[in-house]
Amino acid sequence: CADAAREQGSPVAMVAAVYVRGGQLALTGRLAEAIDVLAAAPQLPIQDDAFGAAQLQVRLALSLAHVLRGEYERGREVAGEVRTAGRKQGEYWCGAFADYLIAQADLAHGDIPAAVNGARTSIAGHALLHNTVGAAMSLDLLAAAIVTTGDAHRAARLLGIGTRLWELTGRAQMDSPDLIATRRTCELRVREHLGDDAYETGYRAGLAMSYDEGIAYATSRPGGR
């Protein structure tokens, strides 16, 4: 991609190539390298075309790398920039990921209601576009936020729904070591609250839900299990 962009002499195509490289580094756990690559991309005026989405995705990948590295304030700042720029363009895909990243920062800082609401908003946004990967990521986050509220039964079911969605993608947590570790930590916490038997009951109930049933359950206000 980078070679083709250089041949074309296209600055925005070069930014898109940076996203491909930087995003791969972030998802394989090479976070410091990812930040260096992604932060070096020029911030050009967002175009109203396919490259415009790529320009936003560079910033999303940068935010993700910061969040996975525990640099939550910087991650939130960049995600907020993406959300604001996307709204000006009438863009929803990157906006739903920005909601996810901001909710991650909220959870890290102990603002549980904001994290729960942000994760639900992100799930709804991804579902609108049938973005299964995004919805699955946000389900993992929602489960982590919900168990913090004390509702481990609901969290177990959400983890089952999340697994169901990840199975549709063929790559759980996109093979990201950081996302896999975070999901595993959440599962262990839910098991600790419930015990193995109750956890498996709730988890399998979520796993048995269809895509639409799972999304509806995740985005609804708790009124039962």
Side-chain angles (χ1 to χ4, degrees):
C1 288
D3 289 345
R6 279 191 290 269
E7 290 175 8
Q8 294 171 14
S10 169
V12 290
M14 282 297 301
V15 171
V18 169
Y19 163 67
V20 176
R21 175 60 176 154
Q24 185 268 341
L25 289 168
L27 288 175
T28 53
R30 297 160 66 181
L31 301 177
E33 292 177 73
I35 289 169
D36 287 344
V37 168
L38 294 161
Q43 294 190 52
L44 306 172
I46 304 298
Q47 295 192 352
D48 190 15
D49 59 14
F51 281 128
Q55 290 172 270
L56 291 173
Q57 286 172 274
V58 168
R59 306 299 291 170
L60 275 179
L62 177 60
S63 175
L64 175 64
H66 280 299
V67 166
L68 293 178
R69 208 175 183 210
E71 298 166 354
Y72 296 106
E73 280 309 309
R74 181 56 180 150
R76 179 203 295 275
E77 180 183 353
V78 176
E81 293 169 0
V82 171
R83 188 162 65 179
T84 298
R87 284 174 176 170
K88 290 179 180 178
Q89 302 295 124
E91 196 280 341
Y92 293 94
W93 192 93
C94 292
F97 272 113
D99 288 331
Y100 160 81
L101 290 162
I102 291 169
Q104 283 276 24
D106 289 332
L107 180 60
H109 288 116
D111 190 345
I112 308 306
V116 170
N117 288 335
R120 285 200 184 109
T121 299
S122 180
I123 292 168
H126 287 304
L128 180 67
L129 300 174
H130 303 285
N131 181 6
T132 305
V133 169
M137 290 176 68
S138 299
L139 271 159
D140 285 350
L141 171 60
L142 181 60
I146 289 292
V147 70
T148 305
T149 71
D151 193 351
H153 288 279
R154 189 174 185 86
R157 185 169 290 198
L158 289 167
L159 286 174
I161 296 167
T163 297
R164 166 75 170 155
L165 266 61
W166 282 118
E167 287 178 347
L168 295 174
T169 74
R171 296 178 62 202
Q173 286 75 44
M174 293 184 289
D175 295 334
S176 162
D178 298 285
L179 294 177
I180 290 169
T182 299
R183 198 272 183 198
R184 178 62 175 160
T185 297
C186 178
E187 178 188 333
L188 291 174
R189 187 171 186 184
V190 178
R191 284 184 182 273
E192 181 181 343
H193 278 276
L194 295 178
D196 289 340
D197 290 345
Y199 171 81
E200 290 295 337
T201 297
Y203 174 81
R204 293 189 182 282
L207 192 61
M209 288 183 171
S210 70
Y211 182 96
D212 289 338
E213 289 170 339
I215 294 296
Y217 180 85
T219 54
S220 66
R221 300 291 174 180
R225 299 191 176 98

